[in-house]
Amino acid sequence: MSGDQRRVVRELLDAHGQTYAEEAGIALKDTPQPLYRLLVLAHLLSARIRGSVAVATARALQEAGLSDPHRMADAGWQERVDALGRGGYRRYDERTATQLGEAAELLTERWGGDLRRLRKEADGEVPEVHRLLQEFPGVGPTGADIFLREVQRVWPDAAPYLDRKALQGAERLGLPSDPDQLLDLAGSTEPAVLAAALVRAAVDKDVARDTLDRTD
Protein backbone atom coordinates (compact mmCIF):
# COMPACT_ATOMS: atom_id res chain seq x y z
CA MET A 1 0.00 0.00 0.00
CA SER A 2 1.41 3.32 -1.02
CA GLY A 3 1.89 6.49 0.93
CA ASP A 4 -0.38 8.14 -1.63
CA GLN A 5 -3.25 5.91 -0.58
CA ARG A 6 -2.67 6.71 3.09
CA ARG A 7 -2.73 10.39 2.23
CA VAL A 8 -6.03 9.98 0.37
CA VAL A 9 -7.58 8.25 3.39
CA ARG A 10 -6.25 10.90 5.75
CA GLU A 11 -7.60 13.74 3.62
CA LEU A 12 -10.97 12.01 3.37
CA LEU A 13 -11.18 11.45 7.11
CA ASP A 14 -10.03 14.97 7.97
CA ALA A 15 -12.82 16.46 5.86
CA HIS A 16 -15.57 13.85 6.18
CA GLY A 17 -14.73 11.71 9.21
CA GLN A 18 -18.07 12.02 10.94
CA THR A 19 -20.69 9.33 11.32
CA TYR A 20 -24.20 10.03 10.13
CA ALA A 21 -25.43 9.52 13.70
CA GLU A 22 -23.14 12.32 14.87
CA GLU A 23 -24.37 14.56 12.08
CA ALA A 24 -27.95 13.87 13.16
CA GLY A 25 -27.17 14.77 16.76
CA ILE A 26 -27.45 11.20 18.06
CA ALA A 27 -25.10 10.55 20.98
CA LEU A 28 -24.88 6.88 20.16
CA LYS A 29 -24.80 4.53 23.14
CA ASP A 30 -25.82 0.92 23.66
CA THR A 31 -29.11 1.97 25.21
CA PRO A 32 -32.66 1.78 23.83
CA GLN A 33 -33.37 5.37 22.79
CA PRO A 34 -30.16 6.13 20.83
CA LEU A 35 -30.36 2.75 19.13
CA TYR A 36 -33.95 3.45 18.13
CA ARG A 37 -33.05 6.89 16.79
CA LEU A 38 -30.31 5.24 14.75
CA LEU A 39 -32.83 2.76 13.32
CA VAL A 40 -35.05 5.65 12.25
CA LEU A 41 -32.07 7.44 10.72
CA ALA A 42 -31.09 4.29 8.79
CA HIS A 43 -34.67 4.04 7.52
CA LEU A 44 -34.61 7.65 6.33
CA LEU A 45 -31.16 7.41 4.75
CA SER A 46 -32.07 4.29 2.80
CA ALA A 47 -34.54 6.17 0.56
CA ARG A 48 -33.51 7.79 -2.71
CA ILE A 49 -33.10 11.18 -1.11
CA ARG A 50 -30.15 13.38 -0.20
CA GLY A 51 -28.37 12.36 2.96
CA SER A 52 -28.57 15.92 4.28
CA VAL A 53 -32.37 15.81 4.02
CA ALA A 54 -32.53 12.48 5.85
CA VAL A 55 -30.30 13.84 8.62
CA ALA A 56 -32.38 17.02 8.92
CA THR A 57 -35.52 14.91 9.10
CA ALA A 58 -34.09 12.73 11.85
CA ARG A 59 -33.46 15.93 13.80
CA ALA A 60 -37.00 17.15 13.09
CA LEU A 61 -38.48 13.91 14.45
CA GLN A 62 -36.38 14.29 17.59
CA GLU A 63 -37.52 17.90 18.02
CA ALA A 64 -41.12 16.70 17.69
CA GLY A 65 -40.54 14.32 20.57
CA LEU A 66 -40.68 11.20 18.37
CA SER A 67 -37.47 9.79 19.77
CA ASP A 68 -38.63 6.47 21.17
CA PRO A 69 -40.82 3.72 19.74
CA HIS A 70 -43.65 4.23 22.25
CA ARG A 71 -43.97 7.91 21.38
CA MET A 72 -43.65 7.18 17.67
CA ALA A 73 -46.35 4.51 17.78
CA ASP A 74 -48.69 6.68 19.86
CA ALA A 75 -48.29 9.73 17.62
CA GLY A 76 -50.95 10.34 15.03
CA TRP A 77 -50.16 9.66 11.40
CA GLN A 78 -50.54 13.36 10.57
CA GLU A 79 -48.14 14.29 13.37
CA ARG A 80 -45.52 12.04 11.83
CA VAL A 81 -46.21 13.43 8.35
CA ASP A 82 -45.83 16.99 9.63
CA ALA A 83 -42.52 16.23 11.33
CA LEU A 84 -41.19 14.55 8.20
CA GLY A 85 -42.25 17.55 6.17
CA ARG A 86 -40.44 19.96 8.48
CA GLY A 87 -37.27 18.00 7.82
CA GLY A 88 -37.79 18.27 4.06
CA TYR A 89 -38.72 14.61 3.61
CA ARG A 90 -41.75 15.41 1.49
CA ARG A 91 -41.40 13.02 -1.40
CA TYR A 92 -41.88 9.97 0.81
CA ASP A 93 -43.61 11.52 3.81
CA GLU A 94 -46.96 9.74 3.75
CA ARG A 95 -45.61 6.24 3.16
CA THR A 96 -42.76 6.78 5.61
CA ALA A 97 -45.14 8.07 8.29
CA THR A 98 -47.06 4.81 8.04
CA GLN A 99 -43.91 2.68 8.07
CA LEU A 100 -42.45 4.48 11.09
CA GLY A 101 -45.62 3.83 13.04
CA GLU A 102 -45.72 0.16 12.08
CA ALA A 103 -42.01 -0.32 12.79
CA ALA A 104 -42.35 1.27 16.22
CA GLU A 105 -45.25 -1.05 17.04
CA LEU A 106 -43.23 -4.09 15.94
CA LEU A 107 -40.21 -3.05 18.01
CA THR A 108 -42.39 -2.49 21.05
CA GLU A 109 -44.41 -5.68 20.76
CA ARG A 110 -41.64 -8.09 19.76
CA TRP A 111 -38.55 -6.68 21.44
CA GLY A 112 -39.95 -4.47 24.20
CA GLY A 113 -38.76 -1.33 22.44
CA ASP A 114 -35.14 -2.39 22.86
CA LEU A 115 -32.97 -3.24 19.85
CA ARG A 116 -30.50 -4.95 22.15
CA ARG A 117 -33.09 -7.72 22.45
CA LEU A 118 -33.08 -8.08 18.67
CA ARG A 119 -29.31 -8.44 18.84
CA LYS A 120 -29.67 -11.04 21.59
CA GLU A 121 -32.21 -12.98 19.55
CA ALA A 122 -29.62 -13.06 16.75
CA ASP A 123 -26.93 -14.26 19.20
CA GLY A 124 -24.89 -11.31 18.00
CA GLU A 125 -24.49 -12.90 14.58
CA VAL A 126 -24.24 -10.05 12.09
CA PRO A 127 -26.00 -11.80 9.17
CA GLU A 128 -28.92 -12.63 11.44
CA VAL A 129 -29.06 -9.09 12.83
CA HIS A 130 -29.07 -7.89 9.21
CA ARG A 131 -31.99 -10.21 8.44
CA LEU A 132 -34.02 -9.28 11.50
CA LEU A 133 -33.62 -5.55 10.84
CA GLN A 134 -35.36 -6.07 7.53
CA GLU A 135 -38.51 -7.16 9.32
CA PHE A 136 -39.13 -3.51 10.12
CA PRO A 137 -41.37 -1.90 7.49
CA GLY A 138 -39.30 0.39 5.29
CA VAL A 139 -35.97 -1.17 6.24
CA GLY A 140 -34.51 -3.26 3.44
CA PRO A 141 -30.96 -4.50 2.87
CA THR A 142 -29.69 -0.95 2.38
CA GLY A 143 -31.23 0.27 5.61
CA ALA A 144 -29.85 -2.73 7.49
CA ASP A 145 -26.40 -1.99 6.09
CA ILE A 146 -26.62 1.63 7.21
CA PHE A 147 -27.65 0.62 10.72
CA LEU A 148 -24.80 -1.89 11.04
CA ARG A 149 -22.22 0.53 9.63
CA GLU A 150 -23.12 3.01 12.34
CA VAL A 151 -23.93 0.71 15.26
CA GLN A 152 -20.56 -1.03 15.04
CA ARG A 153 -19.33 1.87 17.14
CA VAL A 154 -21.21 0.50 20.17
CA TRP A 155 -21.69 -3.11 19.09
CA PRO A 156 -18.07 -4.26 18.71
CA ASP A 157 -19.06 -7.71 17.49
CA ALA A 158 -20.49 -6.04 14.36
CA ALA A 159 -17.11 -4.48 13.53
CA PRO A 160 -15.49 -4.08 11.16
CA TYR A 161 -18.48 -3.52 8.90
CA LEU A 162 -17.54 -2.07 5.53
CA ASP A 163 -20.41 -2.87 3.20
CA ARG A 164 -20.73 -2.64 -0.57
CA LYS A 165 -21.52 1.09 -0.51
CA ALA A 166 -18.41 1.87 1.53
CA LEU A 167 -16.31 -0.22 -0.84
CA GLN A 168 -17.78 1.70 -3.78
CA GLY A 169 -16.43 4.84 -2.18
CA ALA A 170 -13.01 3.24 -1.84
CA GLU A 171 -13.07 2.29 -5.51
CA ARG A 172 -13.99 5.85 -6.54
CA LEU A 173 -10.95 7.08 -4.59
CA GLY A 174 -8.59 4.53 -6.10
CA LEU A 175 -8.26 2.67 -2.81
CA PRO A 176 -8.20 -1.09 -2.19
CA SER A 177 -11.49 -2.96 -2.11
CA ASP A 178 -10.25 -5.23 0.67
CA PRO A 179 -11.67 -4.16 4.07
CA ASP A 180 -8.54 -5.21 5.98
CA GLN A 181 -6.34 -3.09 3.74
CA LEU A 182 -8.66 -0.12 4.14
CA LEU A 183 -8.62 -0.46 7.91
CA ASP A 184 -4.82 -0.57 7.82
CA LEU A 185 -4.72 2.60 5.74
CA ALA A 186 -7.02 4.29 8.26
CA GLY A 187 -4.76 3.50 11.19
CA SER A 188 -6.47 4.04 14.54
CA THR A 189 -9.67 5.47 13.02
CA GLU A 190 -12.81 3.66 14.14
CA PRO A 191 -14.38 1.46 11.45
CA ALA A 192 -17.70 3.33 11.77
CA VAL A 193 -16.01 6.64 10.99
CA LEU A 194 -14.07 5.18 8.06
CA ALA A 195 -17.24 3.57 6.69
CA ALA A 196 -19.21 6.83 6.87
CA ALA A 197 -16.45 8.77 5.13
CA LEU A 198 -16.19 6.19 2.34
CA VAL A 199 -19.96 6.21 1.87
CA ARG A 200 -19.90 9.98 1.48
CA ALA A 201 -17.35 9.52 -1.29
CA ALA A 202 -19.60 6.90 -2.90
CA VAL A 203 -22.76 9.01 -2.91
CA ASP A 204 -21.21 12.41 -3.64
CA LYS A 205 -18.82 12.80 -6.56
CA ASP A 206 -17.71 16.17 -5.21
CA VAL A 207 -16.44 14.55 -2.01
CA ALA A 208 -14.30 12.13 -3.99
CA ARG A 209 -13.07 14.77 -6.41
CA ASP A 210 -12.16 17.27 -3.71
CA THR A 211 -10.37 14.60 -1.70
CA LEU A 212 -8.27 13.57 -4.68
CA ASP A 213 -7.60 17.18 -5.65
CA ARG A 214 -6.12 17.85 -2.21
CA THR A 215 -3.71 14.95 -2.59
CA ASP A 216 -2.37 15.91 -6.05
Side-chain angles (χ1 to χ4, degrees), residues 128-143:
E128 182 63 7
V129 172
H130 191 272
R131 186 191 70 78
L132 288 173
L133 287 168
Q134 292 178 67
E135 295 196 15
F136 292 109
V139 178
T142 297

Side-chain angles (χ1 to χ4, degrees), residues 19-177:
T19 66
Y20 284 92
E22 287 174 326
E23 188 180 349
I26 301 171
L28 191 58
K29 296 184 290 185
D30 190 22
T31 55
Q33 188 177 98
L35 291 173
Y36 174 68
R37 291 182 63 195
L38 177 59
L39 178 67
V40 171
L41 177 63
H43 181 165
L44 298 173
L45 283 167
S46 65
R48 293 182 179 275
I49 200 164
R50 291 196 310 276
S52 59
V53 172
V55 167
T57 302
R59 286 182 173 273
L61 289 168
Q62 166 70 9
E63 291 165 3
L66 306 180
S67 56
D68 68 72
H70 303 286
R71 181 71 181 84
M72 184 70 80
D74 289 344
W77 178 81
Q78 190 61 53
E79 185 179 352
R80 294 193 293 268
V81 169
D82 291 345
L84 290 164
R86 287 193 294 274
Y89 210 83
R90 296 183 179 87
R91 182 178 176 187
Y92 303 102
D93 55 353
E94 295 187 358
R95 182 181 66 182
T96 301
T98 299
Q99 292 171 337
L100 287 174
E102 292 173 347
E105 289 175 0
L106 174 62
L107 178 57
T108 300
E109 293 169 3
R110 182 166 174 181
W111 292 292
D114 189 345
L115 284 160
R116 295 174 300 181
R117 296 186 183 182
L118 179 151
R119 179 189 183 195
K120 184 176 181 181
E121 181 177 320
D123 292 324
E125 296 294 328
V126 173
E128 182 63 7
V129 172
H130 191 272
R131 186 191 70 78
L132 288 173
L133 287 168
Q134 292 178 67
E135 295 196 15
F136 292 109
V139 178
T142 297
D145 280 338
I146 294 168
F147 182 88
L148 284 164
R149 283 201 310 259
E150 298 275 320
V151 83
Q152 65 182 317
R153 198 166 208 179
V154 294
W155 287 0
D157 50 4
Y161 196 87
L162 298 178
D163 67 329
R164 183 175 59 180
K165 183 60 71 176
L167 297 181
Q168 286 174 359
E171 181 180 1
R172 176 170 279 179
L173 292 165
L175 298 171
S177 59

Side-chain angles (χ1 to χ4, degrees), residues 16 172 200-201 203-212 214:
H16 304 285
R172 176 170 279 179
R200 287 186 168 91
V203 300
D204 189 339
K205 292 180 180 179
D206 289 341
V207 168
R209 187 187 64 245
D210 292 347
T211 299
L212 294 173
R214 288 194 301 273

